[in-house]
Amino acid sequence: MPTVSMTVNGKSVSGDVSANTLLVDFLRETLGMTGTHVGCDTSQCGACVVHVEGKAAKSCTRLAVQCEGAAVTTIEGLASGGDLHPMQEAFRDNHGLQCGFCTPGMIMAGVDLANRRGNKLDEDTIRNELDGNICRCTGYHNIVKAIAAGAAAMDK
Amino acid sequence: MTETGIGAPVRRTEDKRFITGKGRYTDDINVPHQTYASFVLSPHAHATINGIDTKAAEAAPGIVAVFTGKDVAEAGIGGLICGWMIHNKDGSEMASGAHPALANDKVRYVGDHVAMVIGETLEQARAGAELIEVDYGVLDANVETGKAKDKSAPQIHDAAPGNAVYEWAIGDEAAVDAAFEAADHVTSLDIVNNRLVPNAMEPRAAIGDFDAGTGDFTLHTTSQNPHVARLILSAFIGLAPENKLRVIAPDVGGGFGSKIFVYAEETLCVWAAGKIERPIKWTSSRADAFLNDAHGRDHETRAELALDKNGKMLGLRVKTVANLGAYLSTFSSSVPTYLYATLLSGQYNLPAIFCEVDAVYTNTAPVDAYRGAGRPEACYVIERIVETAARELNLDPVELRRRNFVAEFPHETPVIMTYDIGDFGASLDKALDLADYDGFGKRKAASEANGKLRGIGFSTYIEACGIAPSAAVGSLGAGVGLWESAEIRVNPTGNVEVLTGSHSHGQGHETTFAQFTADRLGIPMDQVSIVHGDTDKVQFGMGTYGSRSGAVGMSAMSNAIDKVIAKATKLAAHLMEASEGDIVFENGSFSVKGTDKSLAFGEVSLAAYVAHNMPEGMEPGLKEGAFFDPANFTFPAGCHICEVEIDPETGTTEIANWVAVDDFGTIINPMIVEGQVHGGIAQGVGQALVEGAVYDKESGQLLTGSFMDYCMPRADNLPSFKLGFTETVCPSNPVGVKGCGEAGAIASPAAVMNAVTDALGVKDVPMPASPATVWQAIQSSTKQAAE
Ligand code: FES
Ligand code: FES
């Protein structure tokens, strides 16, 4: 069994994995960090989105061993201390979640979107860029609002 | 209204854990010493099982146990049940084939459960499942709804000759015949309500556990109604007495109906945990969810509407074939009957209605309630045919509707519903205003100038929810009552736990219920906790579906709160040496009229628990419960207007504008209610434009078995929505609410398809109106025009 080491939310971690262990299973099963979710088996839904080296990645589509030495951020690592990340705050403030299952992936994708496309995001940009994240509850209306507000707040 | 009072858009309490990754869904839970289950699923739609060889699997590394249908049958475990008896037109009972948790001698759809393999690890369980050899005798598959009863169609259950589950009817056939005789105009329409896969984002999961010391079973499961699940597992399937079975539904990631039902997997996890005396965990893959979660809709309908020359509706005749799949799921039989045909009167004064429904077995996944359950199908029939009739009569569809609106309440329809209250004109007016109906002509011209086709479609919907009076549903065949319970537990220090039989899987109950209770008791919202989803903590309850948690669940709370206030008022009077009639309870404090004497809610609760000074005969403590059984269904209604723009070159439909005006009665938290409407519309638009489950007609394979093949609505398929509300307070419950969870999904498909057919100038386009389908429709209508 290979051992893999990486930094997750600023902490060094390591564990024994199989060669075919997915990053999401390493996070959920080995590390017990269950904030990252699995909603499909075809890399379509985005419930599993985390950041690897600061960029959004579907953790169901990456092997744990591919992330050897990488810095990974999950939903659990987004808030700093007691303060919510502005994107988390925006989801709450705009009712951007209902059952919460897609939410970690949506928030991580939203932060990534702001990082890539700037803090002033229009509705079309958000809707197009959100192609890799499925939500069954919200109809996206409030997610779009939340990401626009969160991105704007990240500027401050 | 205070910042957190009834009517305020209070931010949700539960969000904190969900946005920080601290939600606790079933798959997040691990039990010490747990094993993992993997199921062998049938790769065939229809086959006999001639033999199962489990030897190689049993010998594989890490395999703890293997079970087949024979083991389940020998253990005397009952089959999965359908809890609603429907009677045929001739009065006989519906036909119902057995549904063993593991198939015995035959498999009946792709995904039918054949064996359960339990391993020390998930990988080992899966590897073991691969080693099971099943000898199948493949039979022809019977897949198509409209052909299921053909003489040549393969027979699926011995108990259901001709694959007929029931042939049911409602309404007055003779009156409808007479109406059609007298009609000046008849509009007819053949429409299909496409089959959908619910796809809650959290896949189903279960952990069965058994304590060999006490003989107690525990099931963690993704359920919308843990008590109902326990009742079924206990009383009907026979796993354990209710007092020895605890069912916990923790955070649940969406349900939409699909998590109401009791499925094979959780049944087997509980049963087998008792066999191996270890916990067993199972989590569905999305692929298995496509195959096995109960699907929705799947109707083929012919409808005819009789009108006089002034556009007055005289009668409606409907004949529907409903596909219930290979087995009857928990409430499947009620969906195309009492949840469907009883809503065919829509918002209209329709003097006569007759509806026949033939339910059929096919070699497809079971079909049961999916958001709206029957009511979206009814709305689709009536709203599509009304719009079609208006076009045929050259009347504005708005005008035709207005001429026929029910305007006096209560109103008895010819299909056993009594609408208690509403104002259909008000929601229509407000929607027309928000949609700028007057400006539509200009917008259409502008689209045309750009080479695009623009259409507008209406859906003035009504639905029955807040289900429902227990005696009424009992008389219609329901195996259970549909009341709800609540317990208000005031602690000595004055904070409160609300125990509710409703279950939240996205609806925000922890906020709405706390907001309501805090407002009624005059205490801060953070002093109220909502307890739900655990049969060991909460008294019996019926769970969440049919938009019932507000109308029924919160009404139970309201009644229990009344009892708490009544007792506390008595005690406060005693403590302040005043007469009870002089006590005023306001803003969380009991005061004596005309004096400056008062006691805070927390002081009275403390006195109740210290119990040093109680009125004669009063028991200590402050805790009250209530069971609320509604007097009627509730009738949310409103108007959705959809405007589409279609690119004739590509057949792509874009939703240019969406307006929804709903009357949900009293609204506790408008932010949450709007969210429910958004989500419902998205599911309805999904049905209309992109979603559709397709089985191969020959092999019965599910062709749309993943998110790659089954198109889920994504952010760029949808617009932002314009919402408005009108309010007629519901007279059938003490809170005045009607329910809001399903309205969007009920109203929206008809609005979209009315708009699409308006844009194209055709009578019907099948759902989903994908670019290919729309393009085809354009080609054939241009061809027709040319001929
Ligand atoms: S779990 Fe669906 S994309 Fe990763
Ligand atoms: S909030 Fe439930 S799936 Fe998005």
PDB file of all heavy atoms in Angstrom, chain A residues 24 37-49 57-61 101 132-134, chain B residues 201 286 707, ligand 1:
ATOM      1  N   VAL A  24     -11.242  12.040  -2.841  1.00  0.00           N
ATOM      2  CA  VAL A  24     -12.415  12.238  -1.997  1.00  0.00           C
ATOM      3  C   VAL A  24     -12.519  11.138  -0.932  1.00  0.00           C
ATOM      4  O   VAL A  24     -12.918  11.404   0.208  1.00  0.00           O
ATOM      5  CB  VAL A  24     -13.711  12.348  -2.828  1.00  0.00           C
ATOM      6  CG1 VAL A  24     -14.092  11.029  -3.513  1.00  0.00           C
ATOM      7  CG2 VAL A  24     -14.863  12.819  -1.957  1.00  0.00           C
ATOM      8  N   HIS A  37     -18.468  16.037  -0.458  1.00  0.00           N
ATOM      9  CA  HIS A  37     -19.489  15.014  -0.721  1.00  0.00           C
ATOM     10  C   HIS A  37     -19.294  14.315  -2.056  1.00  0.00           C
ATOM     11  O   HIS A  37     -18.587  14.812  -2.929  1.00  0.00           O
ATOM     12  CB  HIS A  37     -20.876  15.660  -0.695  1.00  0.00           C
ATOM     13  CG  HIS A  37     -21.247  16.224   0.636  1.00  0.00           C
ATOM     14  ND1 HIS A  37     -22.134  17.268   0.794  1.00  0.00           N
ATOM     15  CD2 HIS A  37     -20.836  15.903   1.891  1.00  0.00           C
ATOM     16  CE1 HIS A  37     -22.253  17.553   2.081  1.00  0.00           C
ATOM     17  NE2 HIS A  37     -21.475  16.745   2.764  1.00  0.00           N
ATOM     18  N   VAL A  38     -19.979  13.189  -2.177  1.00  0.00           N
ATOM     19  CA  VAL A  38     -19.991  12.456  -3.444  1.00  0.00           C
ATOM     20  C   VAL A  38     -21.434  12.383  -3.937  1.00  0.00           C
ATOM     21  O   VAL A  38     -22.288  11.816  -3.270  1.00  0.00           O
ATOM     22  CB  VAL A  38     -19.432  11.030  -3.270  1.00  0.00           C
ATOM     23  CG1 VAL A  38     -19.506  10.265  -4.598  1.00  0.00           C
ATOM     24  CG2 VAL A  38     -18.007  11.074  -2.765  1.00  0.00           C
ATOM     25  N   GLY A  39     -21.696  12.973  -5.094  1.00  0.00           N
ATOM     26  CA  GLY A  39     -23.064  12.969  -5.601  1.00  0.00           C
ATOM     27  C   GLY A  39     -23.230  12.196  -6.896  1.00  0.00           C
ATOM     28  O   GLY A  39     -24.336  12.048  -7.391  1.00  0.00           O
ATOM     29  N   CYS A  40     -22.119  11.730  -7.461  1.00  0.00           N
ATOM     30  CA  CYS A  40     -22.244  10.985  -8.721  1.00  0.00           C
ATOM     31  C   CYS A  40     -21.011  10.131  -8.926  1.00  0.00           C
ATOM     32  O   CYS A  40     -20.090  10.143  -8.117  1.00  0.00           O
ATOM     33  CB  CYS A  40     -22.444  11.939  -9.899  1.00  0.00           C
ATOM     34  SG  CYS A  40     -20.967  12.822 -10.408  1.00  0.00           S
ATOM     35  N   ASP A  41     -21.029   9.405 -10.047  1.00  0.00           N
ATOM     36  CA  ASP A  41     -19.869   8.577 -10.359  1.00  0.00           C
ATOM     37  C   ASP A  41     -19.372   8.845 -11.764  1.00  0.00           C
ATOM     38  O   ASP A  41     -18.704   8.029 -12.367  1.00  0.00           O
ATOM     39  CB  ASP A  41     -20.210   7.091 -10.160  1.00  0.00           C
ATOM     40  CG  ASP A  41     -21.676   6.809 -10.438  1.00  0.00           C
ATOM     41  OD1 ASP A  41     -22.247   7.482 -11.318  1.00  0.00           O
ATOM     42  OD2 ASP A  41     -22.261   5.945  -9.759  1.00  0.00           O
ATOM     43  N   THR A  42     -19.757  10.019 -12.290  1.00  0.00           N
ATOM     44  CA  THR A  42     -19.338  10.347 -13.658  1.00  0.00           C
ATOM     45  C   THR A  42     -18.726  11.740 -13.756  1.00  0.00           C
ATOM     46  O   THR A  42     -18.696  12.338 -14.825  1.00  0.00           O
ATOM     47  CB  THR A  42     -20.549  10.267 -14.619  1.00  0.00           C
ATOM     48  OG1 THR A  42     -21.634  11.036 -14.058  1.00  0.00           O
ATOM     49  CG2 THR A  42     -21.004   8.827 -14.826  1.00  0.00           C
ATOM     50  N   SER A  43     -18.271  12.272 -12.619  1.00  0.00           N
ATOM     51  CA  SER A  43     -17.581  13.556 -12.623  1.00  0.00           C
ATOM     52  C   SER A  43     -18.455  14.696 -13.149  1.00  0.00           C
ATOM     53  O   SER A  43     -17.977  15.582 -13.844  1.00  0.00           O
ATOM     54  CB  SER A  43     -16.308  13.446 -13.478  1.00  0.00           C
ATOM     55  OG  SER A  43     -15.437  14.494 -13.151  1.00  0.00           O
ATOM     56  N   GLN A  44     -19.731  14.656 -12.808  1.00  0.00           N
ATOM     57  CA  GLN A  44     -20.668  15.633 -13.347  1.00  0.00           C
ATOM     58  C   GLN A  44     -21.215  16.616 -12.323  1.00  0.00           C
ATOM     59  O   GLN A  44     -21.583  17.721 -12.674  1.00  0.00           O
ATOM     60  CB  GLN A  44     -21.868  14.880 -13.965  1.00  0.00           C
ATOM     61  CG  GLN A  44     -21.538  14.131 -15.221  1.00  0.00           C
ATOM     62  CD  GLN A  44     -21.450  15.056 -16.411  1.00  0.00           C
ATOM     63  OE1 GLN A  44     -22.344  15.840 -16.663  1.00  0.00           O
ATOM     64  NE2 GLN A  44     -20.354  14.987 -17.123  1.00  0.00           N
ATOM     65  N   CYS A  45     -21.333  16.230 -11.063  1.00  0.00           N
ATOM     66  CA  CYS A  45     -22.187  16.993 -10.152  1.00  0.00           C
ATOM     67  C   CYS A  45     -21.462  18.063  -9.348  1.00  0.00           C
ATOM     68  O   CYS A  45     -22.068  19.025  -8.901  1.00  0.00           O
ATOM     69  CB  CYS A  45     -22.927  16.051  -9.203  1.00  0.00           C
ATOM     70  SG  CYS A  45     -21.899  15.418  -7.857  1.00  0.00           S
ATOM     71  N   GLY A  46     -20.175  17.902  -9.107  1.00  0.00           N
ATOM     72  CA  GLY A  46     -19.418  18.928  -8.404  1.00  0.00           C
ATOM     73  C   GLY A  46     -19.609  18.980  -6.896  1.00  0.00           C
ATOM     74  O   GLY A  46     -19.109  19.896  -6.244  1.00  0.00           O
ATOM     75  N   ALA A  47     -20.306  17.989  -6.318  1.00  0.00           N
ATOM     76  CA  ALA A  47     -20.469  17.979  -4.862  1.00  0.00           C
ATOM     77  C   ALA A  47     -19.126  17.789  -4.161  1.00  0.00           C
ATOM     78  O   ALA A  47     -18.976  18.073  -2.980  1.00  0.00           O
ATOM     79  CB  ALA A  47     -21.434  16.866  -4.443  1.00  0.00           C
ATOM     80  N   CYS A  48     -18.142  17.329  -4.926  1.00  0.00           N
ATOM     81  CA  CYS A  48     -16.845  16.930  -4.372  1.00  0.00           C
ATOM     82  C   CYS A  48     -15.760  17.971  -4.579  1.00  0.00           C
ATOM     83  O   CYS A  48     -14.588  17.681  -4.364  1.00  0.00           O
ATOM     84  CB  CYS A  48     -16.425  15.653  -5.079  1.00  0.00           C
ATOM     85  SG  CYS A  48     -16.276  15.961  -6.856  1.00  0.00           S
ATOM     86  N   VAL A  49     -16.139  19.169  -5.039  1.00  0.00           N
ATOM     87  CA  VAL A  49     -15.097  20.142  -5.416  1.00  0.00           C
ATOM     88  C   VAL A  49     -14.295  20.603  -4.198  1.00  0.00           C
ATOM     89  O   VAL A  49     -14.857  20.983  -3.171  1.00  0.00           O
ATOM     90  CB  VAL A  49     -15.708  21.354  -6.161  1.00  0.00           C
ATOM     91  CG1 VAL A  49     -14.666  22.461  -6.355  1.00  0.00           C
ATOM     92  CG2 VAL A  49     -16.277  20.923  -7.507  1.00  0.00           C
ATOM     93  N   ALA A  57     -10.894  21.549  -8.014  1.00  0.00           N
ATOM     94  CA  ALA A  57     -10.699  20.223  -8.597  1.00  0.00           C
ATOM     95  C   ALA A  57     -11.796  19.314  -8.086  1.00  0.00           C
ATOM     96  O   ALA A  57     -12.223  19.424  -6.932  1.00  0.00           O
ATOM     97  CB  ALA A  57      -9.333  19.678  -8.186  1.00  0.00           C
ATOM     98  N   LYS A  58     -12.259  18.415  -8.942  1.00  0.00           N
ATOM     99  CA  LYS A  58     -13.244  17.434  -8.506  1.00  0.00           C
ATOM    100  C   LYS A  58     -12.494  16.293  -7.821  1.00  0.00           C
ATOM    101  O   LYS A  58     -11.758  15.545  -8.468  1.00  0.00           O
ATOM    102  CB  LYS A  58     -14.064  16.953  -9.701  1.00  0.00           C
ATOM    103  CG  LYS A  58     -15.064  18.022 -10.153  1.00  0.00           C
ATOM    104  CD  LYS A  58     -15.967  17.608 -11.285  1.00  0.00           C
ATOM    105  CE  LYS A  58     -17.096  18.642 -11.420  1.00  0.00           C
ATOM    106  NZ  LYS A  58     -17.885  18.475 -12.654  1.00  0.00           N
ATOM    107  N   SER A  59     -12.686  16.180  -6.531  1.00  0.00           N
ATOM    108  CA  SER A  59     -11.887  15.219  -5.776  1.00  0.00           C
ATOM    109  C   SER A  59     -12.301  13.777  -6.046  1.00  0.00           C
ATOM    110  O   SER A  59     -11.646  12.852  -5.604  1.00  0.00           O
ATOM    111  CB  SER A  59     -11.945  15.534  -4.272  1.00  0.00           C
ATOM    112  OG  SER A  59     -13.278  15.436  -3.809  1.00  0.00           O
ATOM    113  N   CYS A  60     -13.412  13.597  -6.777  1.00  0.00           N
ATOM    114  CA  CYS A  60     -13.814  12.240  -7.165  1.00  0.00           C
ATOM    115  C   CYS A  60     -13.102  11.800  -8.424  1.00  0.00           C
ATOM    116  O   CYS A  60     -13.251  10.676  -8.875  1.00  0.00           O
ATOM    117  CB  CYS A  60     -15.316  12.180  -7.411  1.00  0.00           C
ATOM    118  SG  CYS A  60     -15.814  13.008  -8.941  1.00  0.00           S
ATOM    119  N   THR A  61     -12.360  12.703  -9.022  1.00  0.00           N
ATOM    120  CA  THR A  61     -11.772  12.426 -10.327  1.00  0.00           C
ATOM    121  C   THR A  61     -10.254  12.531 -10.242  1.00  0.00           C
ATOM    122  O   THR A  61      -9.571  12.751 -11.220  1.00  0.00           O
ATOM    123  CB  THR A  61     -12.338  13.417 -11.372  1.00  0.00           C
ATOM    124  OG1 THR A  61     -13.745  13.504 -11.164  1.00  0.00           O
ATOM    125  CG2 THR A  61     -12.106  12.968 -12.798  1.00  0.00           C
ATOM    126  N   PHE A 101     -26.420  19.582   0.481  1.00  0.00           N
ATOM    127  CA  PHE A 101     -25.538  18.513  -0.001  1.00  0.00           C
ATOM    128  C   PHE A 101     -24.596  18.998  -1.100  1.00  0.00           C
ATOM    129  O   PHE A 101     -23.432  18.631  -1.130  1.00  0.00           O
ATOM    130  CB  PHE A 101     -26.359  17.308  -0.490  1.00  0.00           C
ATOM    131  CG  PHE A 101     -25.535  16.070  -0.604  1.00  0.00           C
ATOM    132  CD1 PHE A 101     -25.219  15.322   0.525  1.00  0.00           C
ATOM    133  CD2 PHE A 101     -25.027  15.645  -1.824  1.00  0.00           C
ATOM    134  CE1 PHE A 101     -24.428  14.185   0.438  1.00  0.00           C
ATOM    135  CE2 PHE A 101     -24.232  14.509  -1.929  1.00  0.00           C
ATOM    136  CZ  PHE A 101     -23.933  13.778  -0.801  1.00  0.00           C
ATOM    137  N   GLY A 132     -20.390  22.741 -14.029  1.00  0.00           N
ATOM    138  CA  GLY A 132     -19.945  21.480 -13.433  1.00  0.00           C
ATOM    139  C   GLY A 132     -20.513  21.213 -12.059  1.00  0.00           C
ATOM    140  O   GLY A 132     -20.052  20.302 -11.370  1.00  0.00           O
ATOM    141  N   ASN A 133     -21.482  21.996 -11.651  1.00  0.00           N
ATOM    142  CA  ASN A 133     -22.076  21.795 -10.322  1.00  0.00           C
ATOM    143  C   ASN A 133     -23.585  21.683 -10.439  1.00  0.00           C
ATOM    144  O   ASN A 133     -24.232  22.579 -10.981  1.00  0.00           O
ATOM    145  CB  ASN A 133     -21.745  22.978  -9.397  1.00  0.00           C
ATOM    146  CG  ASN A 133     -20.275  23.028  -9.030  1.00  0.00           C
ATOM    147  OD1 ASN A 133     -19.440  23.366  -9.851  1.00  0.00           O
ATOM    148  ND2 ASN A 133     -19.969  22.659  -7.800  1.00  0.00           N
ATOM    149  N   ILE A 134     -24.126  20.590  -9.922  1.00  0.00           N
ATOM    150  CA  ILE A 134     -25.577  20.399  -9.988  1.00  0.00           C
ATOM    151  C   ILE A 134     -26.185  20.590  -8.595  1.00  0.00           C
ATOM    152  O   ILE A 134     -25.670  20.069  -7.605  1.00  0.00           O
ATOM    153  CB  ILE A 134     -25.934  18.977 -10.486  1.00  0.00           C
ATOM    154  CG1 ILE A 134     -25.322  18.729 -11.874  1.00  0.00           C
ATOM    155  CG2 ILE A 134     -27.445  18.798 -10.553  1.00  0.00           C
ATOM    156  CD1 ILE A 134     -25.545  17.321 -12.404  1.00  0.00           C
TER     157      ILE A 134
ATOM    158  N   MET B 201     -29.589  15.097  -4.587  1.00  0.00           N
ATOM    159  CA  MET B 201     -28.136  15.049  -4.758  1.00  0.00           C
ATOM    160  C   MET B 201     -27.456  14.092  -3.778  1.00  0.00           C
ATOM    161  O   MET B 201     -26.404  13.543  -4.071  1.00  0.00           O
ATOM    162  CB  MET B 201     -27.532  16.455  -4.642  1.00  0.00           C
ATOM    163  CG  MET B 201     -27.898  17.360  -5.813  1.00  0.00           C
ATOM    164  SD  MET B 201     -27.755  16.554  -7.434  1.00  0.00           S
ATOM    165  CE  MET B 201     -26.013  16.186  -7.474  1.00  0.00           C
ATOM    166  N   ARG B 286     -24.557   6.731  -7.744  1.00  0.00           N
ATOM    167  CA  ARG B 286     -25.532   7.439  -8.579  1.00  0.00           C
ATOM    168  C   ARG B 286     -26.081   6.488  -9.640  1.00  0.00           C
ATOM    169  O   ARG B 286     -27.269   6.538  -9.974  1.00  0.00           O
ATOM    170  CB  ARG B 286     -24.861   8.661  -9.232  1.00  0.00           C
ATOM    171  CG  ARG B 286     -25.766   9.481 -10.132  1.00  0.00           C
ATOM    172  CD  ARG B 286     -26.996  10.048  -9.432  1.00  0.00           C
ATOM    173  NE  ARG B 286     -26.635  10.847  -8.277  1.00  0.00           N
ATOM    174  CZ  ARG B 286     -27.511  11.328  -7.389  1.00  0.00           C
ATOM    175  NH1 ARG B 286     -28.810  11.092  -7.536  1.00  0.00           N
ATOM    176  NH2 ARG B 286     -27.104  12.021  -6.351  1.00  0.00           N
ATOM    177  N   PHE B 707     -25.648  11.013 -15.110  1.00  0.00           N
ATOM    178  CA  PHE B 707     -25.764  12.440 -15.402  1.00  0.00           C
ATOM    179  C   PHE B 707     -25.188  12.791 -16.782  1.00  0.00           C
ATOM    180  O   PHE B 707     -25.345  13.911 -17.255  1.00  0.00           O
ATOM    181  CB  PHE B 707     -25.056  13.273 -14.332  1.00  0.00           C
ATOM    182  CG  PHE B 707     -25.776  13.314 -13.006  1.00  0.00           C
ATOM    183  CD1 PHE B 707     -25.062  13.418 -11.819  1.00  0.00           C
ATOM    184  CD2 PHE B 707     -27.158  13.255 -12.937  1.00  0.00           C
ATOM    185  CE1 PHE B 707     -25.712  13.467 -10.589  1.00  0.00           C
ATOM    186  CE2 PHE B 707     -27.817  13.300 -11.725  1.00  0.00           C
ATOM    187  CZ  PHE B 707     -27.092  13.404 -10.542  1.00  0.00           C
TER     188      PHE B 707
HETATM  189  S1  FES C   1     -18.923  13.406  -7.019  1.00  0.00           S
HETATM  190 FE1  FES C   1     -20.010  14.152  -8.727  1.00  0.00          FE
HETATM  191  S2  FES C   1     -18.471  15.301  -9.727  1.00  0.00           S
HETATM  192 FE2  FES C   1     -17.397  14.451  -8.096  1.00  0.00          FE
END
